[in-house]
Every structure is written in structure tokens, then in C-alpha cells.
Amino acid sequence: MQSFDVAVIGGGSAGSAAVKQAARRGANACIIQDSHFGGVCLNLGCMPAKAMLYASNQYWSMKNLHSVVPGVEVSGSIDGRAFMKRVHDLVLELREKTESGMASRDDITIYRGSARLTGRHSLSIDAHDGTHEIRADSIVIATGSHPIRPGFAPWQNKRIMVSDDALQAADLPESILIIGGGVIGCEFATAYSQLGIRTHLVEMADKLVPTMDNSEISGFITSSLSGSGCEILLDTQVCGIKETSDGLSVDVNGREIQVSHVLVSVGRAANIENIGLENAGVDTREGIIAVDECCRTNIDHIYAAGDVAEHMQYAHLAERMGRVAGDNAAGGSLTDERNIVPIGIYTNPQVAIVKNRDIEFDPADLALMKYPYTESGTAKIYGYAQGKVVLRIVKETGQLVEAYWWGDHAVDMIHEAVLSIKNNIKLSTIFNTIHAHPSFQEIFSEMAENYTDRKVRKNHTINLCM
């Protein structure tokens, strides 16, 4: 039986980060991955989805080019197969780079196969070259998640898809009904509707992205999707799906909608089954493996990271958790409370949010600052009329508590707010930091300037450009 200091199960964002961090600390480390390295994000999630979104955004922008180049009209149809081939080619290129990068590591042992815990220090690997039994002082579980397939859908019909299927499809759908108005559903609705595909988005709740406690953000997304021609059906339930001669008929609250395809996007579930958790005594809670700020489970030397151990399913959080888990598995002491995590929604325009989820403030001590894109010279240059930046701050100190950014480039722009909240950087410091001009990022600087001016005048009723 071969022995290792650290064994990592799973080669996605979390697992890859974990094994690299363990090796960085000098541990004799191995990683077990059955499919391609890069996990869901690279192969079946973030990267192909954003490739679709970028291309659809470009098409939408060209169709609306007359707004910035008066007199120009652009027309043309989409070749669905060519569109999806570009997506697949991009994934293949990124996958090959990731695979070759991992294969080139001489400080990491790679097993191709699936692993199962057989004890608190032992694993059995059903590998491509046979069965291997290994022992490890520490173990990191990073098995990821999978799309939920609810029982009401006739899954034998290949026109009914989850996100994995939609991103691997050879062609675009002629028309589509999306079940689930969360982040993933809204992003797919953006891509399809901007391409001129008849799109219906069904959500049981009374707003889109219902898990986010911010009705204004839901309103932003609703507005942008409606603007691209997507029909949004809130407070609506899918009662049945029937096959027709040329597609599907979906019963939504008694109304029959005919489409070529249905995309079910009602969440993802952690991959906690059939990995031997019971053999090692690892506890689960609310469908995930329970971990602390060190990504440690109830078993001291067993760690878990990424979607399998966190309800917030974001690749960047998974990577951070993997680094924390790998560091501690190799004898380190890295921690992360996972209380400050930026969230990006790649609708058009984008939405980005960050806040400290663990600190409560008296509302009387806080103030809102709002800055619409209509006041930004840079936004006017680019022809972006839709957008707003909102900061929630402590009035007396200028400490940033929460930020959300709705508009083009929002996900890129949110990181100054992330850095400020994480490191308690006050708005006065932002004001005294030179920002490039013209840029979208200088909106943050202008808001800091406004706070500083009001602070000087001892006026805490901060309300910029309501």
C-alpha cells in the first residue's frame, strides 16, 4: 500500500488548489480525478457559459450599434453549430493547458479514477489501470456538485436539459423554456434571448435570483432580461412537460408553451454519495460536508473544500477553500471564515455584490451612497445607460460594509470594494488613491470623494445622485 502525506479526492477548482498548496508546503501529495482536470468550472460551468455569454453580448451590441454609431444598422443570423463549436474549442484549449500543467508537476502523484474512503486514513481507487489501495496522513475531499434533476421531468427525452447538457450541445435551441430563475437560469436566459432565440424564464418565487436578499438587484436583472426579449414568468409553477411531434409542450399554471427545448436549472447538489464518508465517520449537514474555518471536518485530519462543503457554489470560493484545506492538511494554519465572498452574475449588464455577512450594524449608523451610470463620463462614452453603484457605509468612519454594482464591467470593478471590506480600508484612503481617468473604477473614487466632502461639512445625510 502506497502512503502519502496528503491525498486529495477531486481535481476541480478546490481539489487542484488543495494538492498544489500541499505540495507547495513540501508534502508528498496525490490527487485522484476520474474525468478532466478543471472540474465543473472549466469543463461544464463557468468557462463555457461565459464564452456563450460573451459571444451573445457581442451579437447584441452589434445589433444595437446604432446607439453609438448613428446611421449604422447591422443584421445577420446566428450559425448555432459554429457558435457552439467556438465554445467547445475554447474549453478544449483551456482543458489541455490545465491537464498539461498538472501532468508536468513532479511533486504530485496523479491517479486517474474514482476514490472511496475505506477508513479514516485509507482509500480505494478504482483507477483506469486497476484498483489501488493507498494510505494518507491527511485527506481532502473536493468532489464538487452536480445539477439537480427533479422527478417531474421525463429525462429520457434529450430535449430536456440541465446546464451540463446545454453547454455540451452541438447546436443552439430553436426556442427554450428555462425552469429556475437563479443565477444560472438568468445567465442562460441572457445568452439565448440576446441571440434572438425565443426564451421563457419560469420562477416559482415572486422575483428572480430569490436567494439574494436584495429586491433592487432582482429588479435590475428582470429589466435587462425583459429588454432582450425574454418572457419572465414569476410566481409560476411548471405543472407538466409533454412530448410533441416537433418539441415539447410545457404546462405553466395551466398555460401551454411550445418550445424545442427545456432547460432545468433548479440548483446543484453536493457529491457526497458513494465516496465512503460513513467509513471514516465524516459528518454531513444540510446536504454538504460540515467544515470549519480551516475546512476541517469533524475528523481532525480530514478536510473538505468547494461545492461539497459549501452552499455558496462559486469557483473562486472553491479555489480559496482548496488552498486553505491543502495548507492545513500539510501542517499549516491557514483560515478563512468565508464571510466576504464576491458574487458575480453575468447578465447584461452584469451584477456584482460583496458584503461582510458576519457583522451586524445598527441601521441608524449606516448610510447609502448611490451613483448611477448616467452620471459617469466613462459610461456615457461607452454608451452604457443602464447601471448603478450602491455602497453601504458606516457614517462616522467611512468603513465600507456592503457594495453592489449593476452595469457593464461590474464583476471586474467590484474588487476594490472586496479589498476594502476585507482589510477595513476606509473611504478616505480610497479618496486619496489615484484612479485612472477615464475609467469605470473611478466611480468608486468619486463616491469616496463625496463622502469626504460630506464628512468635512459634518453632514452625514449621504445621498449621491439618487
Side-chain angles (χ1 to χ4, degrees):
M1 179 182 290
Q2 191 165 0
S3 295
F4 295 92
D5 298 325
V6 178
V8 178
I9 307 173
S13 299
S16 295
V19 77
K20 289 176 184 177
Q21 183 68 12
R24 197 174 289 127
R25 275 198 158 271
N28 177 21
C30 74
I31 186 168
I32 306 107
Q33 172 70 357
D34 193 17
S35 57
H36 303 293
F37 279 107
V40 169
C41 178
L42 191 156
N43 297 286
L44 297 169
C46 319
M47 304 312 284
K50 275 51 180 182
M52 287 182 66
L53 281 159
Y54 175 76
S56 74
N57 289 350
Q58 293 296 102
Y59 180 70
W60 182 254
S61 295
M62 287 194 301
K63 287 179 66 177
N64 293 277
L65 190 60
H66 57 84
S67 64
V68 290
V69 186
V72 172
E73 296 292 338
V74 177
S75 61
S77 59
I78 296 292
D79 181 334
R81 288 189 170 274
F83 182 97
M84 292 306 299
K85 183 179 184 301
R86 175 187 175 272
V87 173
H88 301 155
D89 287 347
L90 176 63
V91 170
L92 182 60
E93 179 184 347
L94 295 173
R95 179 190 298 159
E96 289 176 346
K97 180 180 179 182
T98 301
E99 291 278 351
S100 62
M102 189 65 76
S104 68
R105 302 284 300 246
D106 58 8
D107 54 348
I108 297 171
T109 299
I110 298 173
Y111 290 97
R112 289 290 190 175
S114 56
R116 179 181 175 84
L117 294 163
T118 54
R120 293 194 171 186
H121 287 280
S122 58
L123 300 97
S124 179
I125 304 171
D126 183 10
H128 299 177
D129 60 350
T131 301
H132 299 266
E133 306 292 335
I134 67 170
R135 184 193 183 282
D137 294 336
S138 295
I139 297 169
V140 178
I141 303 168
T143 48
S145 64
H146 62 274
I148 295 171
R149 295 176 182 261
F152 66 79
W155 292 105
Q156 72 277 7
N157 189 315
K158 299 307 178 184
R159 290 178 178 269
I160 302 174
M161 308 180 290
V162 292
S163 57
D164 291 6
D165 307 313
L167 294 171
Q168 295 180 94
D171 202 348
L172 291 166
E174 295 177 14
S175 55
I176 194 161
L177 184 141
I178 300 171
I179 303 174
V183 172
I184 295 173
C186 288
E187 290 184 352
F188 272 106
T190 298
Y192 290 138
S193 62
Q194 288 186 150
L195 294 172
I197 296 168
R198 176 165 59 83
T199 304
H200 309 267
L201 179 59
V202 177
E203 170 54 49
M204 289 181 62
D206 61 356
K207 64 180 181 179
L208 295 179
V209 200
T211 56
M212 291 191 178
D213 187 23
N214 191 313
S215 295
E216 189 170 29
I217 289 173
S218 298
F220 293 157
I221 297 172
T222 300
S223 173
S224 64
L225 282 173
S226 296
S228 61
C230 176
E231 181 185 22
I232 299 168
L233 302 168
L234 302 176
D235 287 312
T236 302
Q237 187 170 355
V238 172
C239 302
I241 303 174
K242 295 184 296 185
E243 300 181 33
T244 65
S245 58
D246 57 353
L248 300 165
S249 179
V250 187
D251 179 352
V252 289
N253 286 8
R255 172 190 168 192
E256 293 289 333
I257 299 178
Q258 310 295 321
V259 289
S260 69
H261 290 77
V262 166
L263 173 61
V264 180
S265 179
V266 294
R268 300 181 64 87
N271 293 327
I272 57 176
E273 304 294 335
N274 303 315
I275 56 174
L277 296 181
E278 67 283 359
N279 296 327
V282 176
D283 288 344
T284 61
R285 183 177 63 237
E286 297 178 352
I288 61 174
I289 298 174
V291 296
D292 61 14
E293 70 277 6
C294 299
C295 291
R296 182 183 291 111
T297 70
N298 61 301
I299 308 300
D300 282 348
H301 63 276
I302 300 180
Y303 301 81
D307 289 3
V308 76
E310 175 59 68
H311 289 299
M312 293 188 292
Q313 297 171 336
Y314 305 110
H316 47 283
L317 176 57
E319 183 175 353
R320 173 61 179 170
M321 291 179 72
R323 193 173 298 125
V324 170
D327 191 81
N328 287 288
S333 57
L334 200 56
T335 64
D336 199 310
E337 298 286 348
R338 307 188 296 281
N339 58 335
I340 302 172
V341 180
I343 299 170
I345 306 174
Y346 291 79
T347 47
N348 187 16
Q350 296 175 354
V351 177
I353 312 104
V354 65
K355 64 179 178 179
N356 190 326
R357 300 186 302 127
D358 285 351
I359 299 180
E360 296 292 334
F361 292 90
D362 185 339
D365 294 333
L366 302 178
L368 278 181
M369 301 180 69
K370 299 184 179 183
Y371 193 113
Y373 266 31
T374 53
E375 298 296 322
S376 166
T378 304
K380 289 180 182 294
I381 291 169
Y382 281 82
Y384 298 151
Q386 290 185 309
K388 179 189 286 188
V389 183
V390 178
L391 305 180
R392 191 182 303 275
I393 63 168
V394 178
K395 289 187 287 191
E396 185 60 34
T397 65
Q399 177 185 355
L400 185 60
V401 175
E402 178 183 4
Y404 60 91
W405 198 304
W406 173 59
D408 291 86
H409 309 286
V411 179
D412 292 323
M413 297 299 103
I414 199 67
H415 291 95
E416 190 168 14
V418 178
L419 191 67
S420 298
I421 294 174
K422 180 73 173 178
N423 296 282
N424 198 23
I425 297 172
K426 306 294 195 298
L427 287 185
S428 57
T429 301
I430 302 298
F431 171 56
N432 287 303
T433 301
I434 298 172
H435 289 65
H437 173 80
S439 68
F440 287 98
Q441 196 68 66
E442 67 181 337
I443 291 175
F444 204 37
S445 175
E446 290 181 21
M447 297 180 79
E449 180 181 11
N450 179 265
Y451 168 79
T452 302
D453 286 347
R454 297 295 181 108
K455 181 71 173 172
V456 168
R457 295 197 298 269
K458 305 297 183 182
N459 180 355
H460 298 320
T461 308
I462 302 170
N463 191 354
L464 176 62
C465 301
M466 284 292 289

